[in-house]
Amino acid sequence: MREKVNPMNQTLDQTRPNLFSFTIANCAPLEFELAPALEAGEPPEARGLDRDQVRLMVSHYTDDRVVHTRFRQIVDFLNPGDVLVINTSGTLNAALQATRADGMPLELHLSTRLPSGLWLVELRQSDGKDTMPFYSALPGEGLDLPGGATARLLTPRDPAPDLKKDHVRLWVASLALPTAVHEYLARYGFPIRYGYVAQGWPSSYYQTVCTTETGSAEMPSAGRAFTPELLTQLVAHGIQVAPLVLHTGVASLEDHEPPYEEFFRVPPKTARLVNQAREAGKRVVAVGTTVVRALETVADRAGVVHSGQGWTDLIVTPERGLRAIDGLLTGMHEPRATHLAMLEALAGPCHLNVAYREALSNGYLWHEFGDLHLILP
């Protein structure tokens, strides 16, 4: 059994010696091993907390100050006129039981609905406790799904450049469903989860209070801790909340695998609020890396954000830089996650070393049910 961490604890001395290895002097990329005890295996509600009682680390990248608090105190770190941009995409029951022609059971994870009506999907195989990518599927293979539905694998999505050609994780697939996809998934699907979450939770645990339309394979988890009461408090404090949509795909991209195309929509009002805030010298804070990806897709070289929608394959790197945001609310990321390149573009490698050393030594919890990190100038 994995050791449980009390989220109220400030340190985790018993695991600290092997948690991380930092080289701050030359600001080397983050390298650390995440202790199982720091993986949030259940929602905060199951730990006796409200959503907004998860821990919040506020780190200032201009002077390396770090403050430890609770998420419900986030208003103390934002100023009137600041704009929070939040992803209002809801989470699908995107996992389905699937069966190969030889009777082998698998899980089919729907990731991204493509412009042609096809889907980007991932096949995973269970070992009884966790699922792992299944690499032995073949082009043209059919899979039986619940309720008489079927899926057909059409062609591999290009694998990462450093992977073998037969190392296919993501497929372009067609679905034959008896009903509309949202109705079908509501009846037969279940939320995607990984091995660190020991049991299934109802889909309500994977929704944010800001959801306006479903479409994400996995929860845009940076917004999970907001409550209606907290949002009201923010607005009363003069902080503006601006919506956009990015339907996020499967997030098992933790080994330098580049992101793939995802659908986004930035409304004209959101673009206008972001531009007005920047012109007034106020801060634009993205709630989640999905928001960064959407805003940066429609920001021009001068940092002006335009409305728009479509599929984005943008990868934000330190070399490209950021044009539209000043701060970011996000969860904790694995050392090989491509999201860390985005964080480095905002805060720089030295500050990330400082912040993650604080998070690890203070026992912050990772993943979608874990704690949060607010990065500000």
Side-chain angles (χ1 to χ4, degrees):
M1 179 181 292
R2 288 182 175 176
E3 179 183 3
K4 298 293 184 181
V5 176
N6 185 337
M8 298 297 293
N9 288 347
Q10 292 299 306
T11 60
L12 194 67
D13 293 335
Q14 67 269 29
T15 57
R16 186 182 301 171
N18 297 318
L19 280 178
F20 55 85
S21 174
F22 291 99
T23 307
I24 296 179
N26 61 3
C27 302
L30 287 172
E31 291 293 341
F32 61 90
E33 293 296 327
L34 184 64
L38 297 185
E39 296 183 295
E42 56 192 3
E45 297 92 318
R47 307 195 299 268
L49 303 174
D50 294 332
R51 284 192 176 212
D52 62 357
Q53 283 184 296
V54 295
R55 297 177 66 189
L56 176 68
M57 179 175 66
V58 183
S59 70
H60 299 270
Y61 57 81
T62 45
D63 60 9
D64 287 340
R65 284 184 299 123
V66 177
V67 178
H68 303 286
T69 184
R70 294 284 169 185
F71 185 77
R72 60 175 46 168
Q73 302 303 128
I74 190 174
V75 68
D76 297 338
F77 301 91
L78 300 172
N79 301 323
D82 287 347
V83 174
L84 280 178
V85 187
I86 194 162
N87 186 1
T88 62
S89 175
T91 311
L92 297 166
N93 285 342
L96 292 162
Q97 300 294 344
T99 306
R100 300 184 80 193
D102 62 3
M104 181 181 184
L106 296 171
E107 276 190 23
L108 180 73
H109 290 182
L110 303 185
S111 179
T112 303
R113 191 169 192 170
L114 301 174
S116 59
L118 302 175
W119 283 83
L120 195 63
V121 305
E122 178 186 21
L123 281 174
R124 296 183 71 89
Q125 182 178 11
S126 174
D127 63 1
K129 296 181 179 179
D130 195 2
T131 62
M132 60 202 72
F134 178 75
Y135 297 120
S136 300
L138 300 171
E141 180 174 350
L143 300 162
D144 290 329
L145 304 177
T150 60
R152 185 164 300 279
L153 307 180
L154 302 178
T155 185
R157 182 198 183 265
D158 291 337
D162 59 338
L163 298 180
K164 297 178 181 179
K165 292 298 182 183
D166 60 352
H167 196 83
V168 177
R169 190 177 68 83
L170 295 172
W171 291 86
V172 176
S174 61
L175 302 181
L177 306 179
T179 62
V181 63
H182 285 77
E183 180 182 347
Y184 178 80
L185 293 178
R187 180 174 181 180
Y188 295 106
F190 50 93
I192 290 173
R193 67 181 175 94
Y194 299 106
Y196 54 83
V197 178
Q199 69 178 74
W201 295 91
S203 61
S204 60
Y205 284 87
Y206 292 87
Q207 307 299 336
T208 72
V209 298
C210 298
T211 295
T212 59
E213 62 182 89
T214 55
S216 285
E218 298 187 23
M219 176 174 53
S221 54
R224 188 186 190 277
F226 286 102
T227 63
E229 296 78 13
L230 183 54
L231 287 171
T232 300
Q233 183 182 0
L234 288 165
V235 172
H237 191 64
I239 296 155
Q240 301 183 83
V241 179
L244 58 74
V245 167
L246 186 140
H247 293 321
T248 181
V250 292
S252 50
L253 307 174
E254 301 293 352
D255 197 17
H256 297 296
E257 184 176 342
Y260 40 81
E261 298 84 353
E262 294 171 319
F263 177 81
F264 76 96
R265 183 189 311 114
V266 178
K269 184 177 180 180
T270 294
R272 184 167 62 252
L273 287 173
V274 169
N275 293 331
Q276 289 173 347
R278 294 179 67 82
E279 290 171 3
K282 303 300 182 179
R283 297 176 298 185
V284 176
V285 179
V287 178
T289 58
T290 59
V291 169
V292 178
R293 200 176 190 204
L295 286 179
E296 292 294 324
T297 296
V298 293
D300 61 28
R301 291 184 179 274
V304 177
V305 172
H306 304 270
S307 62
Q309 70 177 39
W311 277 261
T312 178
D313 59 1
L314 177 67
I315 302 173
V316 177
T317 64
E319 292 73 23
R320 178 196 181 274
L322 289 164
R323 302 166 182 171
I325 69 163
D326 308 288
L328 173 63
L329 176 68
T330 185
M332 307 295 170
H333 300 286
E334 300 278 4
R336 292 173 297 278
T338 54
H339 292 315
L340 281 178
M342 182 185 295
L343 271 62
E344 186 176 329
L346 175 65
C350 292
H351 180 72
L352 286 188
N353 274 292
V354 170
Y356 271 67
R357 180 172 59 178
E358 285 283 322
L360 288 162
S361 63
N362 282 278
Y364 278 72
L365 298 181
W366 260 245
H367 305 310
E368 66 270 24
F369 293 138
D371 298 315
L372 292 166
H373 181 195
L374 177 61
I375 308 172
L376 293 173

